[in-house]
Amino acid sequence: MHEQLAPATRAVALGRPPREPGAPVNHGVAFTSTYVAGGEVSYARTSNPTWEALEEVLGSLEGGSALTFASGMAAVTAAVSLVPVGGVVVAPRHVYNGTTGLLDEMERAGALTARRVDAEDTDAIVTAAEGADVLLLESPTNPMMEVTDVEAVVRGLRERYADARPVVVCDNTFATPLAQQPLAWGADVVVHSATKYLSGHSDTLLGATVVAPERADLLERLHTHRNLHGAIPGPMEAWLVLRGIRTLHLRLERAQATARELVARLDGHPAVERVRYPGFGGMLSVEVAGGEAGAEAVCAAVRLWTHSTSLGGVESQIERRRRHPLEVATVPVNLLRLSAGVEDVEDLWADLAQALP
Ligand SMILES: *Cc1c(COP(=O)(O)O)cnc(C)c1O
């Protein structure tokens, strides 16, 4: 029955206790480390009822089987564990800087080889994937807002390599399952930093993988990875993200409307050299006049926008990404990443306009 419901309805209706007279409408936070012997699960590193409620909702929205992790990076690490020792991973040049850092670190340790590609060049991605074990996509990319044609990439991989194609992983943090479902385009695994839009309130860290229904083998491997490496979420964190997902569609609708309005006003503004916006979602990047100092000055001058890292919260956030040493050098020094929140758009614009040089 639930497959026929719209995503917004599933975000609200799934992950609830059975409807019985007197039953609570929300799952509790299952604070337990172990279970009475004789049941399906014996220890809480393997599973937890609060995770399962969240996994039911997220799995339904993405169209696969979800596993929750301690953070987005724990989920990315689990996905990268699908690369065998000495194997090859292909990834866009601009992805979340933690992912870049992880691949660099593993490459230095001799664990894998990472091939970098242009996220928007379908042919280059398919060509680079020859003999690769995992293709780790992220679309739109953080913070350059490049968009990969995931469907065309998967088609190209199937045509060229058939069964020898790499496992396709797609970080769907920026888009959220409401904007795109990479599994429907043929990706094998979706990765999330639920810390961002899914949670939506900048109050918790959590990550997730979602595996395509036909890849039970990968689900099994990721589950084993979670169980043995132990990067599990706390039940309270899972509960907070589940609570956040209930309003994901409302928050995203507002964030997107605001982002579009800001893009229209920033485009052509004398202090703005370039606006990057993928055309959907609540994230945008702008390159401002005055180089690094000009960008830093904007961050120091905003009063309503929060100068902070992270994104996808109800409060609007702004950040110069190159302030992080891990950020790749091809990200412009004057690039500011903006995460539109759910405040009034005129207040947000007024604050931004007074902060621009
Ligand atoms: C933040 C982020 C991550 C890492 O998630 P954490 O929850 O901070 O560990 C991974 N991918 C993308 C695209 C992100 O924005």
Side-chain angles (χ1 to χ4, degrees):
M1 161 215 172
H2 284 125
E3 281 83 81
Q4 277 126 52
L5 297 173
T9 310
R10 278 181 278 145
V12 175
L14 295 185
R16 304 276 185 188
R19 260 192 209 190
E20 288 154 10
V25 296
N26 288 301
H27 279 289
V29 188
F31 285 116
T32 190
S33 64
T34 190
Y35 304 97
V36 176
E40 233 170 78
V41 182
S42 60
Y43 192 50
R45 196 175 348 96
T46 309
S47 195
N48 173 290
T50 317
W51 305 350
E52 283 170 16
L54 170 59
E55 288 166 352
E56 178 184 331
V57 180
L58 185 56
S60 171
L61 292 177
E62 288 287 6
S65 301
L67 293 173
T68 49
F69 287 83
S71 66
M73 279 314 298
V76 171
T77 301
V80 172
S81 80
L82 298 172
V83 182
V85 173
V88 175
V89 59
V90 176
R93 203 156 285 121
H94 304 117
V95 286
Y96 173 64
N97 64 21
T99 303
T100 299
L102 175 71
L103 296 181
D104 287 352
E105 176 84 8
M106 291 182 79
E107 193 159 31
R108 266 195 300 276
L112 52 74
T113 302
R115 293 181 192 151
R116 311 288 175 174
V117 287
D118 175 348
E120 300 196 317
D121 189 338
T122 300
D123 288 343
I125 297 171
V126 173
T127 301
E130 181 162 9
D133 300 286
V134 167
L135 169 61
L136 181 55
L137 297 172
E138 181 179 303
S139 182
T141 60
N142 179 359
M144 297 288 267
M145 307 296 159
E146 297 137 323
V147 174
T148 301
D149 187 342
V150 179
E151 194 171 20
V153 166
V154 173
R155 200 183 316 118
L157 293 174
R158 286 190 172 142
E159 279 166 13
R160 193 126 158 214
Y161 309 117
D163 288 345
R165 71 176 179 87
V167 170
V168 179
V169 178
C170 188
D171 187 327
N172 207 24
T173 299
F174 268 38
T176 84
L178 298 186
Q180 64 184 26
Q181 292 124 27
L183 300 184
W185 289 330
D188 302 297
V189 181
V190 158
V191 167
H192 273 287
S193 169
T195 308
K196 317 293 169 52
Y197 282 106
L198 302 182
S199 151
H201 294 76
S202 307
D203 52 11
T204 188
L205 273 84
L206 191 138
T209 57
V210 190
V211 178
E214 62 276 13
R215 295 305 305 260
D217 56 322
L218 298 180
L219 179 62
E220 173 73 32
R221 286 173 65 189
L222 292 170
H223 190 267
T224 300
H225 175 95
R226 182 176 70 175
N227 207 27
L228 297 180
H229 289 250
I232 56 163
M236 190 69 222
E237 282 70 16
W239 192 90
L240 283 170
V241 174
L242 180 57
R243 142 94 82 115
I245 284 188
R246 302 300 188 203
T247 55
L248 174 64
H249 50 297
L250 302 174
R251 291 183 284 104
L252 206 65
E253 224 173 85
R254 170 63 84 93
Q256 176 167 286
T258 296
R260 285 183 170 154
E261 185 58 34
L262 295 176
V263 167
R265 296 185 191 188
L266 288 164
D267 223 355
H269 187 285
V272 174
E273 292 170 0
R274 179 167 178 181
V275 181
R276 298 170 188 265
Y277 183 61
F280 62 92
M283 298 299 300
L284 58 136
S285 290
V286 293
E287 290 162 37
V288 297
E292 178 177 336
E296 285 293 339
V298 175
C299 294
V302 288
R303 292 291 168 264
L304 180 57
W305 290 76
T306 309
H307 178 208
S308 59
T309 200
S310 201
L311 59 111
V314 289
E315 62 288 299
S316 296
Q317 290 168 277
I318 187 167
E319 186 188 29
R320 190 179 75 85
R321 285 303 286 173
R322 282 291 298 282
R323 78 191 176 100
H324 299 287
L326 268 184
E327 195 64 73
V328 278
T330 40
V331 172
V333 292
N334 62 339
L335 179 142
L336 294 172
R337 188 186 70 189
L338 278 70
S339 170
V342 301
E343 306 93 333
D344 184 88
V345 65
E346 295 303 336
D347 290 334
L348 288 173
W349 173 250
D351 189 41
L352 204 53
Q354 65 81 28
L356 285 166

